[in-house]
């Protein structure tokens, strides 16, 4: 047997967050068969939110063939936005006005829920309130952004259009327009995930690593997991939180794996004051996105390619790093920074920029969370809410939005 999920090298080189303090998560070998209410496959940020939520009223086991946090989580730039990669106006054209409205409002609520969780659990992860600036680009120009700002404001989101003169005066950016929004955040994704897992462990959760699930077999009462440790895991509910390593046999309509690149400057880069509180991205394809870290580092990403393995090319990593740095310098010429870290990773996309949070076909008592894309951490919060509601015998009011 080759395993219950597709294997993929998820990142290349060492991300900034890999050197963060406080990433320790106690793990256990699987030395005997176990039985739990909930088994979660994947010890990254999605599995961490899921474990924290469900451990409050269920026995939970988290299994991962890697050590915790060593998949895609550390490759995130952790721009915790409620804005979806597909603008509200474009999402409306794709799925209808009411569904698009619900999707945007649910993303906004998820970011606010994330902030509450971090505060309630006292997780030290550098969480910071942020505004966001969405710049006109070659895919969405100033007219599209004017319409988008109006559409967002009409459903109650704090969005306003910024014209070119104000954009130059206020932000020093020469573009034809932008949208300014409030309500987002930023954080250290590694420390956030580690903190969530440790809170789940305080509630009785155990993290088993390295343990690979080779096969999952469901029956009317639950699911039996066969593992490479030679011991079975019996569970009432199974949740695949494998990020971009999709479970075998699970259809992924409209989903694809892409490659993305990122860099971080050395601390105390010379940046405009407004950038300390503002996430920036643009309506281009590929788009540039950036923010500042708490130690004055610039954290920048972009140059995505529709390839599942281009990120593995170390020579391309150097070229992409230089391109990203040049684009940033072109946008804000007064920036002064020196690159300290650069990395690349695989990420998932979907046709409507919404994730798949759904039961696994032909496998009772099982769920899969996939296609998280640029809003991965925000969608991880939503996934924990949707799946937890179902396991508790309830129906999340927005669950239908995330069914493929």
């Amino acid at each position: 047997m080759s395993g219950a999920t597709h294997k993929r090298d998820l990142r290349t080189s060492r991300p900034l967050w890999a050197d963060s303090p406080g990433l320790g998560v106690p793990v256990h070998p699987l030395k005997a068969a176990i039985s739990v209410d909930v088994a979660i496959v994947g010890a990254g940020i999605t599995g961490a939110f899921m474990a924290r939520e469900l451990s409050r009223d269920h026995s939970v086991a988290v299994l991962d063939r890697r050590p915790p946090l060593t998949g895609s989580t550390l490759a995130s730039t952790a721009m915790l936005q409620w804005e979806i990669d597909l603008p509200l106006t474009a999402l409306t054209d794709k799925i209808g006005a009411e569904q698009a409205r619900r999707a945007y409002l649910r993303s906004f609520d998820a970011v606010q829920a994330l902030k509450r969780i971090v505060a309630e659990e006292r997780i030290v992860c550098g969480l910071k309130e942020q505004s966001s600036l969405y710049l006109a680009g070659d895919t969405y120009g100033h007219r599209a952004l004017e319409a988008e700002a109006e559409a967002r404001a009409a459903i109650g989101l704090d969005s306003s259009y910024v014209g070119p003169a104000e954009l130059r005066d206020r932000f020093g950016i020469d573009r034809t327009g932008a949208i300014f929004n409030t309500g987002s955040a930023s954080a250290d994704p590694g420390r956030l995930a580690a903190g969530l897992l440790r809170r789940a462990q305080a509630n009785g959760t155990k993290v088993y690593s390295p343990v690979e699930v080779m096969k999952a077999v469901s029956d009317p009462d639950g699911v039996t997991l066969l593992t490479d440790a030679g011991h079975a895991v019996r569970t009432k509910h199974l949740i695949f939180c494998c990020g971009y390593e999709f479970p075998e046999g699970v259809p992924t309509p409209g989903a694809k794996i892409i490659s993305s690149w990122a860099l971080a400057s050395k601390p105390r880069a010379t940046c405009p004051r407004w950038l300390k509180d503002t996430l920036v991205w643009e309506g281009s394809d590929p788009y540039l996105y950036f923010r500042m870290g708490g130690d004055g580092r610039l954290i920048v990403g972009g140059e995505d390619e529709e390839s599942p393995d281009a990120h593995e090319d170390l020579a391309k990593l150097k070229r992409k790093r230089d391109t990203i740095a040049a684009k940033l310098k072109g946008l804000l010429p007064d920036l002064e920074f020196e690159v300290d870290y650069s990395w690349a990773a695989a990420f998932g996309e979907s046709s409507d920029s919404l994730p798949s949070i759904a039961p696994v076909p032909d496998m009772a008592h099982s769920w899969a969370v996939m296609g998280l894309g640029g809003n991965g951490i925000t969608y991880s919060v939503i996934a924990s809410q949707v799946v937890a509601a179902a396991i508790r015998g309830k129906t999340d009011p927005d669950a239908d939005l995330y069914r493929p």
Side-chain angles (χ1 to χ4, degrees):
M1 292 185 289
S2 62
T5 62
H6 294 279
K7 291 185 175 67
R8 191 179 300 280
D9 290 327
L10 293 174
R11 55 186 173 84
T12 303
S13 194
R14 189 171 183 83
L16 166 65
W17 318 114
D19 292 327
S20 295
L23 299 184
V25 176
V27 299
H28 304 272
L30 187 62
K31 291 184 175 181
I34 61 171
S35 178
V36 291
D37 295 333
V38 179
I40 298 169
V41 180
I45 190 69
T46 307
F49 272 112
M50 196 73 69
R52 178 262 173 193
E53 176 61 34
L54 286 167
S55 66
R56 297 191 295 168
D57 51 5
H58 293 82
S59 59
V60 176
V62 179
L63 303 99
D64 202 313
R65 65 186 180 89
R66 300 182 179 89
L69 318 181
T70 53
S72 294
T73 296
L74 295 182
S76 172
T77 53
M79 291 171 54
L80 310 179
Q81 293 173 265
W82 53 261
E83 295 170 88
I84 297 170
D85 273 357
L86 202 61
L88 175 59
T89 48
L91 188 60
T92 295
D93 292 340
K94 189 171 282 286
I95 67 174
E98 178 58 19
Q99 288 84 350
R101 180 190 71 84
R102 288 166 53 209
Y104 260 76
L105 293 179
R106 185 57 182 266
S107 286
F108 181 88
D109 288 346
V111 175
Q112 312 324 306
L114 186 156
K115 296 173 189 174
R116 289 193 298 272
I117 290 168
V118 169
E120 291 168 4
E121 301 287 9
R122 299 182 180 180
I123 296 173
V124 179
C125 60
L127 183 75
K128 181 177 173 58
E129 294 270 356
Q130 296 275 6
S131 300
S132 70
L133 189 67
Y134 183 41
L135 303 173
D138 57 23
T139 303
Y140 298 103
H142 68 94
R143 291 185 182 88
L145 265 56
E146 285 187 81
E148 178 70 12
E150 283 186 19
R152 293 180 183 183
I155 65 170
L157 295 169
D158 185 15
S159 295
S160 58
Y161 179 72
V162 179
E166 183 183 357
L167 189 59
R168 284 191 298 272
D169 293 343
R170 187 173 166 189
F171 300 101
I173 294 176
D174 187 15
R175 285 286 176 95
T176 56
I179 301 175
F180 185 77
N181 309 277
T182 61
S184 292
S186 61
D188 179 324
R191 297 173 77 187
L192 173 59
L196 291 164
L197 285 171
R198 290 195 295 265
R199 297 305 183 271
Q201 289 174 324
N203 291 334
T205 293
K206 285 194 174 182
V207 179
Y208 295 94
S209 171
V211 176
E212 182 167 2
V213 175
M214 306 304 294
K215 189 174 183 181
V217 181
S218 67
D219 57 60
D221 299 317
V223 185
T224 300
L225 307 180
L226 305 180
T227 73
D228 65 348
H231 303 293
V233 175
R234 179 65 181 174
T235 183
K236 295 176 184 176
H237 307 278
L238 169 64
I239 311 167
F240 288 102
C241 296
C242 309
Y244 311 115
E245 294 181 303
F246 299 156
E248 296 282 357
V250 176
T252 56
K256 58 186 176 183
I257 300 297
I258 67 168
S259 293
S260 187
W261 287 263
L263 62 85
S265 75
K266 290 188 175 181
R268 295 175 292 282
T270 301
C271 299
R273 185 178 299 275
W274 62 263
L275 188 53
K276 296 178 181 179
D277 305 306
T278 309
L279 314 175
V280 186
W281 61 309
E282 58 177 356
S284 297
D285 186 15
Y287 64 84
L288 183 75
Y289 50 97
F290 57 96
R291 68 177 181 90
M292 285 192 73
D295 57 356
R297 292 180 190 268
L298 276 165
I299 301 162
V300 196
E303 286 300 293
D304 296 1
E305 285 189 12
E306 291 192 3
S307 166
D309 51 19
H311 68 90
E312 298 173 14
D313 185 337
L314 288 174
K316 180 168 283 191
L317 172 61
K318 182 179 184 302
R319 293 195 300 272
K320 293 284 190 176
R321 178 199 68 197
D322 294 344
T323 299
I324 290 169
K327 281 188 171 183
L328 180 59
K329 189 73 173 175
L331 188 67
L332 290 170
D334 292 336
L335 288 180
E336 294 182 12
F337 63 93
E338 185 178 348
V339 175
D340 197 15
Y341 290 81
S342 59
W343 66 95
F347 283 99
E349 283 187 343
S350 65
S351 59
D352 57 9
S353 295
L354 298 178
S356 172
I357 306 167
V360 176
D362 303 320
M363 188 183 293
H365 317 293
S366 302
W367 288 72
V369 181
M370 302 183 297
L372 301 177
N375 295 78
I377 296 176
T378 303
Y379 287 155
S380 294
V381 176
I382 295 174
S384 70
Q385 297 166 337
V386 169
V387 177
I391 287 175
R392 290 167 180 152
K394 302 175 182 179
T395 301
D396 187 286
D398 296 320
D400 62 295
L401 293 173
Y402 311 110
R403 300 289 178 92

